[in-house]
Amino acid sequence: MKKLLVLLLAVAMLLSCASTAFAWEPEAKLDEDLSAYKLCDNFGDIKLTVAVTDHASISSWEDNAFVKWVEEVTNVDLEFKLIPYESRAEQLGLILASGDYPDIFLVCGMNDTMIAKYGIGEGAFLPLNDLIETKGNFINKIFDEYPGSKGLITQLDGNIYSLPVVNECYHCTAPTKFWMNQQWLDNLGLTMPTTLDELHDVLVAFRDQDANGNGDATDEIPLAGDYQDGWYTNVEMPIMSAFTFYNLDLDTTVLTSPEAFGMYLEDGTVTVPFAKDEFKKGVETVAQWVSEGLIYEGSFTQDLAGLTQIAEDGRLGASSGGYILFANLGGDAYRQYRAVMPVTGPDGYASIQSFPHDSVGGHGFVISADCENPEAAFMIGDMMYSYAATMRGYYGIYGEQWTDAQEGEVGINGEPAKFHLLTPWQESEPQQYCVLQMVTSFRDAAFRLGEPSDPNVDLYSGEGLETLLYQVTHEYKPFTTDEKIIPPLKFTEDENEEMSIIKQNVATTIKQNMIAFFNGTKTVEADYDAFLADLEAQGLGTLVEFYQNAYDAQYK
């Protein structure tokens, strides 16, 4: 049965982008009947405490228009326990360890390990199976629209402890993009590189020929990145991807995904790349480019603010990033960068990492086992997927922040728009009309790509960001190899506990050594064999075995 569920999930991930989601059918209106969600006669007869992430752009949860609307629909009095955004993982861990739980955990960073430990292992989370069967409305429609999604959130003991987030982010399926300063190319009469050799030559020209045209041929930084807080701003990605399939994520704060250890699939076998000759050639190339001054050595220690400062100073030739996040959105520097398609390496190889399994997942809504009103709590979670809740929660008040699509208005994908924005969506300035992405919702591809976009929009303005990312991602898609990506795997509490120390040690060893090889502190010739031996001693082989066994049990 377990294999059937996950097999259905795998099929669903292939079909998800083509599905027509229930919330965006023409008959779905803002005033849909939510009378079944009036959960008590008088406001405050039921009170629920909710743990949420305290995002800086949400000025107040208690006074937020979306929260007030939920309370009006349900008559439930919601009280919030705020978890700081900057230390969410640490603070959530402390709450779970304390045993003093809110009634609901709402999009506050719950992960697979926590579900296994506190749900299956300790019984601290409420199994939702019966409530889904008897009270589920919108959640069961999601299961219908995404065959296999129920299996995704079903744990190894057969129980469901959490409701997922539905978020089909098209550009997030290929986020490891590479951007180059087109103004510099134009200044030097160069064209966008298509091969690794051409990329090298362009960076040499950036280094030597006063590419920014300020009269100083020594202040340009051809290629830079950051390894602290950017989103796929790792400087080595476009180079390594010209030698081999490269999905290594050097962020050692996130150790729940195979990418933290460079894992991927080769014909159903969990594989790591470190001993492969093509991988070592890539590492040597990165190190050589650093030694030549083509890659900024400070990339390995600076944060995103430092990278942004280089770009805003007019000194940056190229950088990786999920978007042009290393320059101020819509500003003069930002407008200079264009996407570089994956370059071809010496053996004719070109690729890019993809994320095909992320549309439906996560643990967005969890109910404590000792909640006194579990049915009411569940009903609120179910209602979050409604059209009204999704639109109000993400965009705000109908008639103030958004309204119906206008005649002839088109979306990001060129199809008829699904709605019309009156206020640009933003998550930087405090407001109290929506809660952004801090609640569960139903944001399928139709929602994301149905956002109105002027066909003639300036792609390099703030308003053109989503359209730009859609178009660039569409160009990147032929370079993706989804079959290499390990699908979501579940582990028992004991397995997670056994792997926890191994993961931390292996991830730290990988990051420290990879950066040392890149910046020249270590060399492949002198130190690589010791690196491989250290990985094995730290337990990389054991970790691969855990993942292989889980994959075989759940997908074969």
Side-chain angles (χ1 to χ4, degrees):
M1 184 64 177
K2 184 195 308 176
K3 290 185 180 181
L4 176 60
L5 288 171
V6 293
L7 178 60
L8 289 172
L9 168 63
V11 174
M13 295 310 172
L14 295 176
L15 299 178
S16 63
C17 288
S19 65
T20 303
F22 70 90
W24 302 106
E25 292 292 339
E27 62 268 20
K29 304 296 184 182
L30 183 65
D31 58 354
E32 61 196 310
D33 183 11
L34 297 177
S35 60
Y37 295 90
K38 185 71 72 175
L39 303 176
C40 54
D41 293 332
N42 303 302
F43 176 75
D45 286 349
I46 295 176
K47 294 184 178 181
L48 294 172
T49 57
V50 187
V52 294
T53 300
D54 186 21
H55 197 284
S57 63
I58 302 174
S59 58
S60 168
W61 279 85
E62 300 287 351
D63 297 325
N64 188 275
F66 170 72
V67 172
K68 292 296 185 184
W69 174 80
V70 172
E71 291 182 327
E72 179 182 350
V73 171
T74 64
N75 261 347
V76 174
D77 184 6
L78 301 178
E79 300 178 355
F80 295 94
K81 182 179 181 63
L82 305 183
I83 300 176
Y85 184 87
E86 294 77 11
S87 58
R88 184 169 68 171
E90 178 185 355
Q91 294 301 316
L92 178 59
L94 292 174
I95 292 173
L96 292 173
S98 74
D100 182 16
Y101 296 167
D103 295 306
I104 299 167
F105 292 91
L106 179 58
V107 187
C108 50
M110 196 76 68
N111 60 38
D112 294 341
T113 301
M114 293 170 178
I115 294 293
K117 177 176 175 60
Y118 296 100
I120 300 174
E122 299 187 9
F125 301 151
L126 182 73
L128 304 178
N129 306 48
D130 292 343
L131 287 168
I132 289 172
E133 182 176 351
T134 60
K135 297 295 180 180
N137 176 23
F138 294 107
I139 183 61
N140 283 315
K141 291 179 180 179
I142 288 174
F143 294 158
D144 291 341
E145 293 295 334
Y146 295 91
S149 57
K150 189 172 184 178
L152 173 64
I153 62 174
T154 300
Q155 298 303 310
L156 295 177
D157 66 350
N159 285 324
I160 295 172
Y161 295 94
S162 64
L163 300 181
V165 173
V166 181
N167 182 15
E168 286 190 52
C169 172
Y170 180 68
H171 70 82
C172 301
T173 63
T176 52
K177 299 175 174 68
F178 184 39
W179 308 88
M180 180 167 286
N181 194 313
Q182 183 67 52
Q183 183 62 55
W184 287 19
L185 290 173
D186 294 343
N187 289 348
L188 301 180
L190 302 173
T191 58
M192 195 67 77
T194 60
T195 69
L196 194 66
D197 286 342
E198 290 175 357
L199 176 58
H200 178 270
D201 292 344
V202 165
L203 296 180
V204 168
F206 283 177
R207 181 194 64 189
D208 296 341
Q209 299 180 26
D210 189 23
N212 61 13
N214 68 350
D216 182 356
T218 66
D219 69 343
E220 286 83 0
I221 294 178
L223 173 59
D226 98 89
Y227 289 73
Q228 303 300 320
D229 53 354
W231 187 42
Y232 296 107
T233 49
N234 294 11
V235 74
E236 85 283 358
M237 283 184 170
I239 302 166
M240 294 295 297
S241 295
F243 287 92
T244 185
F245 179 77
Y246 185 80
N247 69 333
L248 179 61
D249 187 349
L250 293 173
D251 183 355
T252 54
T253 64
V254 183
L255 300 180
T256 58
S257 67
E259 292 81 19
F261 317 100
M263 293 181 188
Y264 60 93
L265 290 173
E266 282 190 345
D267 298 323
T269 299
V270 176
T271 303
V272 289
F274 305 104
K276 295 178 178 290
D277 287 340
E278 56 268 31
F279 186 90
K280 289 187 282 187
K281 289 178 182 177
V283 172
E284 289 179 315
T285 300
V286 175
Q288 179 63 33
W289 289 18
V290 172
S291 71
E292 294 176 10
L294 305 182
I295 296 174
Y296 178 48
E297 189 171 349
S299 298
F300 306 109
T301 55
Q302 72 180 355
D303 59 11
L304 182 59
L307 177 61
T308 301
Q309 190 62 57
I310 295 172
E312 290 296 320
D313 287 344
R315 301 172 56 221
L316 181 64
S319 185
S320 300
Y323 61 99
I324 311 171
L325 72 166
F326 48 84
N328 295 330
L329 180 63
D332 292 341
Y334 177 95
R335 291 174 175 275
Q336 296 182 17
Y337 294 92
R338 299 294 182 270
V340 187
M341 292 300 103
V343 297
T344 302
D347 297 324
Y349 187 83
S351 72
I352 187 174
Q353 183 183 9
S354 62
F355 293 86
H357 305 299
D358 292 350
S359 295
V360 181
H363 306 287
F365 195 95
V366 176
I367 302 174
S368 300
D370 58 359
C371 175
E372 294 182 359
N373 293 283
E375 183 177 309
F378 172 80
M379 292 286 282
I380 288 176
D382 188 66
M383 190 186 71
M384 292 287 187
Y385 298 116
S386 68
Y387 175 88
T390 295
M391 290 301 296
R392 291 175 183 271
Y394 190 70
Y395 283 117
I397 303 168
Y398 177 78
E400 295 186 19
Q401 281 75 47
W402 66 279
T403 187
D404 301 319
Q406 300 176 353
E407 184 177 355
E409 198 168 22
V410 298
I412 292 168
N413 56 2
E415 300 295 323
K418 302 298 183 182
F419 47 89
H420 176 77
L421 293 181
L422 300 173
T423 302
W425 188 89
Q426 61 87 25
E427 56 180 347
S428 57
E429 297 299 324
Q431 50 74 35
Q432 57 185 34
Y433 51 77
C434 73
V435 290
L436 307 163
Q437 304 182 75
M438 297 296 109
V439 296
T440 48
S441 61
F442 189 91
R443 293 185 287 144
D444 68 337
F447 175 96
R448 297 291 303 251
L449 300 179
E451 179 180 325
S453 176
D454 184 343
N456 300 312
V457 67
D458 178 355
L459 293 177
Y460 296 91
S461 65
E463 293 77 15
L465 175 60
E466 289 289 339
T467 305
L468 171 65
L469 291 180
Y470 173 78
Q471 294 182 4
V472 171
T473 302
H474 185 72
E475 293 182 72
Y476 268 68
K477 278 297 185 178
F479 297 93
T480 60
T481 48
D482 291 352
E483 67 273 12
K484 288 184 176 289
I485 307 304
I486 298 175
L489 299 175
K490 299 181 181 70
F491 299 95
T492 67
E493 180 186 357
D494 289 341
E495 288 172 333
N496 280 321
E497 185 173 345
E498 187 172 348
M499 285 191 293
S500 62
I501 295 177
I502 297 175
K503 283 184 172 184
Q504 187 62 62
N505 291 340
V506 169
T508 300
T509 298
I510 291 172
K511 181 171 185 177
Q512 289 177 347
N513 280 273
M514 289 297 291
I515 290 178
F517 288 123
F518 290 155
N519 67 20
T521 306
K522 293 184 177 182
T523 67
V524 170
E525 182 179 3
D527 304 297
Y528 206 84
D529 288 343
F531 166 56
L532 295 178
D534 195 13
L535 285 179
E536 192 59 33
Q538 296 287 0
L540 179 59
T542 302
L543 201 60
V544 170
E545 185 176 351
F546 271 111
Y547 275 79
Q548 186 70 63
N549 290 339
Y551 178 77
D552 291 345
Q554 297 169 41
Y555 287 89
K556 287 187 177 181

